[in-house]
Amino acid sequence: MKRLADQTLYEILEVPADAPAAEIRAAYDRARSLYAPGSLATYTLMTPDEAALLTSRSEDAHGTLLDPEA
């Protein structure tokens, strides 16, 4: 498995490169709720710094992949 910092924006959201906007939004919403502060995944599987990095990268992926000019 690639380190989070080495993953593409598509890999972060776990969507294919040709994913439509609706799928990207759904993947972002899923990631946001799964890795939210206090969630079971963040509490047991990662440090607070890792969770913050994942949140930041997910937000970057969401914004970039849905921006038609990016």
Side-chain angles (χ1 to χ4, degrees):
M1 177 181 236
K2 288 184 184 178
R3 295 176 343 151
L4 181 60
D6 297 332
Q7 291 181 9
T8 68
L9 299 178
Y10 295 102
E11 290 171 328
I12 289 168
L13 293 182
E14 299 179 0
V15 295
D18 60 350
E23 188 175 346
I24 292 169
R25 283 187 197 95
Y28 171 72
D29 289 342
R30 201 171 35 253
R32 201 171 67 183
S33 61
L34 182 62
Y35 300 112
S39 76
L40 185 59
T42 59
Y43 179 75
T44 60
L45 299 177
M46 58 185 65
T47 67
D49 288 342
E50 291 170 328
L53 177 59
L54 181 57
T55 297
S56 174
R57 295 277 290 152
S58 296
E59 289 171 359
D60 289 347
H62 177 260
T64 301
L65 297 178
L66 293 177
D67 182 350
E69 295 181 19

